[in-house]
Amino acid sequence: MSPPDPSPLDLAVAEGRRFIDSLAQRSVGPTGTHADILVPLPASLPTRGMDPADVVRTIARAAEPGLNCNNSPRFFAWVNGGALPAAQATDVLTSLWDQNAVLAATSPAAAVLEEVAAKLLLEALYLPADCAVSFTTGCQMSHAAALAAARHHVLAGAGWDVEVNGLFGAPPIRVLANAHHHGSVTRALRLLGFGTACVVPLAGDTPGRVGVEELKVALAQASGVPTIVILNAGDLNLGQSDDFAALIPLAQAAGAWVHVDGAFGLWLAASPRFAHQVAGIQLADSIASDGHKWLNTPYDCGMAITRHGEALKASMKLTASYLSQDGDTRDPMNYTPEWSRRARSLPVLAALMELGRDGLADLIARCCDHALALHDGLAALTGATSIARPIMNQGMVRFHAADGRNISDAVIAAINASGEAYFSGTTWDGERTMRMSVCNWQTSADDVRRTVAAAAHALNGLR
Ligand SMILES: *Cc1c(COP(=O)(O)O)cnc(C)c1O
């Protein structure tokens, strides 16, 4: 007798295991083309359904050449994290349990675990215990949730109930934002009906940082107007954080709500060595962040944190006769823009339990140390110029040929094609530049060494 066929689930788990176990050997970047990915897939909807195990096999085969190993320890493009073992495993369980984390009634487990995840998260980041936490799909939606709360709060202060009356005819809101704000901030403002014309960029004298005088002047220009100030903890390119201790009290004294984009930079607060860069961040009215970047949970994990739980709930809360609400346990939907949702706080809880305070502090500092070593190793190569030496886990270098041509994109492409490491580029001061970001719990000194060697090889071939 032949052994029974593996179940679709066993196949999927085996396939996933094969993938993560091969991370050290396989090409970091994808190896195939758009067309390669399509080959195994049906060209149109099959009339008759397929065998479930065959579906899993087919999809796994299709994805294979297009898998980008952002969870590899030598993936330095964009700001992508890996996945800690407990977070990854708990994410699988989250899928298998398939709980609807909308109400305490739909899943007491999801609701209670979310409360605990929120509590441990605030402790990990040294934030006030009475902050409300919204678990979202990512920092983009965290901005949306936090800025919805901000909108409610500043308009309530002007005597306007935005939940009932909307923005038509509402007092205009002014948004003063760090000029280096992320595109997701602008998009959240668009989604919330602010548009982008209300944004006043604050550029400061130090690149990436809002100036204290500049903010004072801007606040005084229209005192009494409902105002939201948006600051950065760790901007994407320079890793700069605003001077929260100086800026936040100023803004709040003028009646403004201060929101911080801390997608990854918020996590500096968990490291005694780096926390000084975000000193005062706990004064913010709201902070948006991610689990799937520096905390190393799998994707689909962000958090909005606010001192004004009542404003968040006022902007999110919904009652309908078929929903039972307001028991002793949190109803997750009152904290997020979503209705039905996966229990995405569980991998956060798992990551925080796996790391503990010391492990988290070590993860953050280790990534910063590796970023510095990686940058310095790359910048020391002939033809390389340092553009931003990491002060946290972000850095930039530029590459030139012997004749002076900027060959940064070609170097990035050659490193990526080698499969040894993976980088992305950006335009900085009008010139193509290589970015680096170290967010992975697994990145080691040996990964840094291998990556610098791959870059040296790529440069030699191009100069
Ligand atoms: C990644 C990022 C975002 C957007 O976060 P998502 O999780 O991708 O939605 C916002 N701000 C900064 C600084 C980021 O790095």
Side-chain angles (χ1 to χ4, degrees):
M1 261 186 37
S2 55
D5 285 343
S7 72
L9 180 59
D10 288 339
L11 271 174
V13 170
E15 190 60 41
R17 278 216 77 105
R18 196 182 58 75
F19 174 73
I20 57 174
D21 291 346
S22 71
L23 280 178
Q25 294 85 40
R26 61 186 286 143
S27 165
V28 179
T31 52
T33 62
H34 182 123
D36 295 334
I37 298 167
L38 292 178
V39 171
L41 297 173
S44 57
L45 179 68
T47 306
R48 291 243 225 107
M50 294 168 62
D51 172 66
D54 279 343
V55 172
V56 174
R57 282 193 198 94
T58 305
I59 289 178
R61 204 162 1 104
E64 178 67 31
L67 291 173
N68 205 353
C69 302
N70 50 262
N71 39 8
S72 158
R74 291 184 307 285
F75 187 96
F76 304 113
W78 306 295
V79 187
N80 290 9
L84 288 158
Q88 195 165 53
T90 304
D91 197 64
V92 172
L93 261 186
T94 301
S95 286
L96 297 182
W97 282 331
D98 194 22
Q99 297 291 286
N100 188 357
V102 51
L103 299 170
T106 56
S107 175
V112 173
L113 290 170
E114 184 168 308
E115 281 181 347
V116 180
K119 177 175 178 292
L120 300 198
L121 178 74
L122 297 174
E123 288 178 8
L125 296 166
Y126 300 93
L127 294 172
D130 58 353
C131 285
V133 180
S134 167
F135 288 99
T136 66
T137 52
C139 194
Q140 169 71 78
M141 285 313 291
S142 296
H143 287 317
L147 291 171
R151 183 179 68 168
H152 177 92
H153 184 87
V154 298
L155 286 177
W160 185 268
D161 183 346
V162 71
E163 311 312 326
V164 174
N165 299 312
L167 283 179
F168 300 115
I173 298 175
R174 188 170 58 139
V175 178
L176 307 175
N178 185 314
H180 288 243
H181 59 270
H182 191 265
S184 58
V185 168
T186 326
R187 191 157 70 159
L189 291 171
R190 279 166 40 201
L191 291 174
L192 291 169
F194 286 82
T196 52
C198 64
V199 179
V200 180
L202 302 179
D205 294 329
T206 310
R209 302 189 91 195
V210 171
V212 174
E213 278 311 308
E214 171 190 39
L215 180 66
K216 261 190 208 159
V217 170
L219 287 166
Q221 255 162 15
S223 67
V225 172
T227 301
I228 298 171
V229 174
I230 300 181
L231 303 176
N232 283 342
D235 87 280
L236 203 56
N237 294 308
L238 302 169
Q240 281 286 6
S241 296
D242 278 309
D243 184 352
F244 302 118
L247 299 174
I248 294 178
L250 260 183
Q252 288 172 341
W257 173 293
V258 180
H259 174 69
V260 176
D261 182 348
F264 54 94
L266 170 62
W267 295 90
L268 292 174
S271 158
R273 272 180 56 205
F274 289 89
H276 64 275
Q277 291 190 24
V278 292
I281 196 170
Q282 72 283 355
L283 301 171
D285 295 284
S286 60
I287 309 173
S289 191
D290 268 322
H292 53 217
K293 288 178 177 172
W294 221 350
L295 181 59
N296 281 259
T297 66
Y299 273 98
D300 196 342
C301 185
M303 50 283 277
I305 302 167
T306 176
R307 306 169 70 93
H308 305 274
E310 73 299 338
L312 178 68
K313 279 186 266 182
S315 63
M316 298 297 151
K317 194 175 166 80
L318 206 139
T319 40
S321 58
Y322 72 97
L323 303 172
S324 52
Q325 287 187 319
D326 280 340
D328 290 339
T329 310
R330 149 198 193 105
D331 282 316
M333 75 174 294
N334 291 342
Y335 294 76
T336 79
E338 294 134 343
W339 202 288
S340 298
R341 55 199 279 279
R342 73 193 261 103
R344 64 173 56 86
S345 66
L346 273 52
V348 174
L349 177 60
L352 292 172
M353 287 169 64
E354 176 174 351
L355 291 168
R357 195 177 283 296
D358 291 349
L360 179 59
D362 185 56
L363 166 67
I364 300 307
R366 204 167 68 226
C367 288
C368 294
D369 289 342
H370 289 319
L372 192 58
L374 178 61
H375 166 278
D376 288 356
L378 293 172
L381 299 174
T382 306
T385 311
S386 168
I387 301 300
R389 191 163 189 253
I391 55 173
M392 52 171 328
N393 66 340
Q394 310 290 310
M396 292 191 284
V397 290
R398 200 171 278 157
F399 299 102
H400 291 98
D403 64 6
R405 267 176 311 123
N406 183 332
I407 53 169
S408 301
D409 282 333
V411 173
I412 294 169
I415 298 171
N416 293 354
S418 78
E420 273 287 281
Y422 202 85
F423 287 94
S424 60
T426 189
T427 300
W428 185 255
D429 282 342
E431 284 246 31
R432 295 301 294 167
T433 304
M434 184 167 102
R435 295 188 64 257
M436 69 199 73
S437 173
V438 183
C439 300
N440 194 298
W441 69 283
Q442 283 184 298
T443 301
S444 68
D446 189 53
D447 290 311
V448 170
R449 186 195 54 71
R450 269 179 72 173
T451 302
V452 173
H457 187 75
L459 252 175
N460 280 341
L462 289 162
R463 288 187 93 241

